[in-house]
Each structure stands twice: as C-alpha cells, then as structure tokens.
Amino acid sequence: MIEAILNYDFMKYSFISGLIVGLIAPLLGTFIVVRRLSLIADALSHVALGGIAFGVYLTSVFNFIINPVISGIVFSVIGALGIEKLRGLYKHYSEIAIPIIMSLGIALSVLFLSLANGFNQDLFGYLFGSISAVSFNDLILIIIIGAIVVLFVFFLYKEMFFISFDEEYAGVMKLSKYIHIIFIVLVALVISASMRIVGILLVSAMMTLPVASAMRITSSFKQLMIVSIIFGEISVIAGLFLGFHLNISPGGTIVLVSIAILLCTLILNRVGVVRNAQRTS
C-alpha cells in the first residue's frame, strides 16, 4: 500500500483524507457522546444520503453534472439546523428531533433513488466508501472542513465543555446559542466529509466507536479526546490497508477495526489491566 500511495494520486488523496477524518470525526464525537446525542450522526447521515440521491437524480434529468457531495452537504446542514430548531420547540422532549429528521432523510433517499432509477456504482461508493473515489477537489474540501473543525474546538473548547457537561449552567452563563448551531452544522460537515472514505451508512461509527473505546481507559475529558483521536487514526489507517489489499470498500474494514479496538478495551477493562475508566459516563 505504501508503494501505491507514492505512485498513485488517488491513493494519496484517500490516505490524507482518511487521516483528516480520523482526526475530526472522533474530535467532535467526544462532544456528541458526552451530550448523549450519539444518534444525531445517524440522522444527519441519512439526510446527507437524501441529498446525494437528489444530486444523482438531478444529474440524470439535466445534461450537466451536479456533484452529489455538494448536495449532500447542503441537505445535511439543513437537517442539522432542523434538528436544532426542533430541539428548541420540544424543550422537554428534545431527543424526538433526531428520529423526525432521520425519518425525513430516509424518505427523501427512497424518493430520489426511485426517481433516479435506483443504485449505480458511484452511489454504492457513497454508501460504503471507496478508496478510488476521493478526487483532488474532495481532498481540498475535506482539508477546509478539517481546518474549520480544529479551529472551532481550539478557540471554543471551554464553552463546548460547559455546554456538553451542563447545558443548563451554560444557559445561565448566557453562552451564545449560536455555538450550538455552529457545532451541529460542523457535525453535518464532518459527516459529509467522511462519506467518501467511510461511507454514509457507516460514518456515524467513526464519531462514536473510538470515543466508546477511549471511555473505557481514560479518566478525564482531555484524555478521552486524545485517545479517541488515536483510536480513530488507527482504525482509518488499518482499515484503508485492509480495504486496499482485500480489494473491498474501506468503510466496512475501518468500522471492523474500530469494533476490534472496542473489544480490546472492554477486555482490558474487564480483567483489571485498566481501572481508571468512564470518568465521562
């Protein structure tokens, strides 16, 4: 695989994109898990799938090509804003916003896929990831999204920490509600950025599994964040390696490596090798 990375541009694009996804997905995933919003990634991924299907449909209708990634991002961001709006309307039942938006995403996916006459090979790559699908433009987009996410966490870490662990206190302190909106929009962007490598149907795993593994062996939030990123990078690198040599979609192998890491941490925690766990649970 190393030789392929050196010789083929698409392998370079996939590897660099994978490293960025392995950083930003667990980075935001730590806040998602701690806020008990793990299913939000699933909801937005289904909405993004609806956007991709919409892009495929428009491409089949008109003569010019519409990038499904862009339509997926637009739909995902709109879905994120919809979730935040519904959480405000259902203050005492805010979790209901997630299945509402998820249902909408699934319905739109089915509708536009039907109008576009079903699946094609490109759509299969969006669903499950593809090593060869990442273009130079995709790489630039992922780099931009990655930079925005890192800067957001770096400059607003304290505010996000308070919001994640005590949303009521954050409200009393009058922390800007726009931080919530920016955060959930960034989650949507990360999902859209990750779909080329991991695939829409598996992208939520990259935001939760590394965090779930790290929670078993860490005792502070900063440790949780760092170890989650390490596990995310290991999963991506090992998953891309396996996907390349087995000639299969990398999304499944990346997630299976993440599951293997989770099982290892559970075993270590169970037998007492690691004891200082679950400070954030």
Side-chain angles (χ1 to χ4, degrees):
M1 180 178 173
I2 296 177
E3 183 179 350
I5 292 174
L6 295 176
N7 293 329
Y8 299 104
D9 286 339
F10 74 89
M11 286 299 300
K12 293 177 185 177
Y13 301 155
S14 295
F15 186 72
I16 296 172
S17 299
L19 292 179
I20 296 173
V21 169
L23 167 66
I24 61 177
L27 183 61
L28 288 188
T30 52
F31 296 105
I32 289 175
V33 172
V34 168
R35 295 181 67 182
R36 293 173 172 82
L37 293 174
S38 299
L39 288 178
I40 198 172
D42 269 325
L44 294 180
S45 65
H46 283 83
V47 174
L49 177 58
I52 291 171
F54 179 68
V56 172
Y57 166 66
L58 290 182
T59 300
S60 67
V61 172
F62 300 102
N63 293 326
F64 59 92
I65 297 176
I66 298 175
N67 190 343
V69 174
I70 302 301
S71 59
I73 289 176
V74 172
F75 271 56
S76 187
V77 169
I78 294 174
L81 296 175
I83 288 177
E84 192 62 25
K85 181 66 175 179
L86 288 172
R87 290 183 74 230
L89 294 176
Y90 294 93
K91 292 182 179 180
H92 300 293
Y93 305 96
S94 59
E95 69 280 358
I96 199 174
I98 295 176
I100 290 174
I101 296 299
M102 181 183 293
S103 300
L104 174 62
I106 295 173
L108 291 175
S109 301
V110 173
L111 173 64
F112 291 124
L113 285 176
S114 298
L115 293 173
N117 297 319
F119 287 88
N120 57 40
Q121 188 61 36
D122 289 338
L123 190 57
F124 185 87
Y126 285 112
L127 290 175
F128 303 107
S130 175
I131 291 177
S132 61
V134 182
S135 66
F136 179 73
N137 290 334
D138 293 330
L139 175 61
I140 296 301
L141 181 62
I142 292 171
I143 290 174
I144 293 173
I145 293 174
I148 293 173
V149 169
V150 171
L151 290 173
F152 173 80
V153 174
F154 180 79
F155 286 107
L156 296 175
Y157 173 81
K158 185 182 296 185
E159 289 82 357
M160 283 303 305
F161 182 85
F162 281 123
I163 291 172
S164 299
F165 282 96
D166 195 339
E167 196 165 344
E168 291 184 3
Y169 175 75
V172 172
M173 294 296 293
K174 296 183 179 180
L175 295 178
S176 175
K177 67 176 182 179
Y178 294 106
I179 294 178
H180 291 274
I181 298 175
I182 295 172
F183 171 73
I184 201 168
V185 168
L186 287 180
V187 171
L189 292 177
V190 169
I191 289 172
S192 301
S194 305
M195 61 188 178
R196 279 298 205 183
I197 297 295
V198 187
I200 281 293
L201 297 183
L202 300 171
V203 66
S204 63
M206 276 303 296
M207 304 191 80
T208 55
L209 287 178
V211 182
S213 301
M215 290 181 79
R216 307 302 302 180
I217 60 174
T218 56
S219 58
S220 71
F221 186 75
K222 286 187 177 180
Q223 287 180 12
L224 174 65
M225 186 177 291
I226 293 171
V227 175
S228 296
I229 292 172
I230 293 173
F231 285 161
E233 297 289 12
I234 293 173
S235 299
V236 168
I237 293 172
L240 286 175
F241 179 85
L242 291 172
F244 175 78
H245 287 283
L246 297 176
N247 194 28
I248 58 178
S249 298
T253 53
I254 291 173
V255 174
L256 286 176
V257 172
S258 296
I259 292 290
I261 293 173
L262 176 60
L263 291 175
C264 289
T265 58
L266 290 173
I267 292 171
L268 290 174
N269 196 242
R270 181 73 173 177
V271 299
V273 175
V274 181
R275 298 180 183 277
N276 57 334
Q278 299 192 79
R279 176 240 181 261
T280 55
S281 63

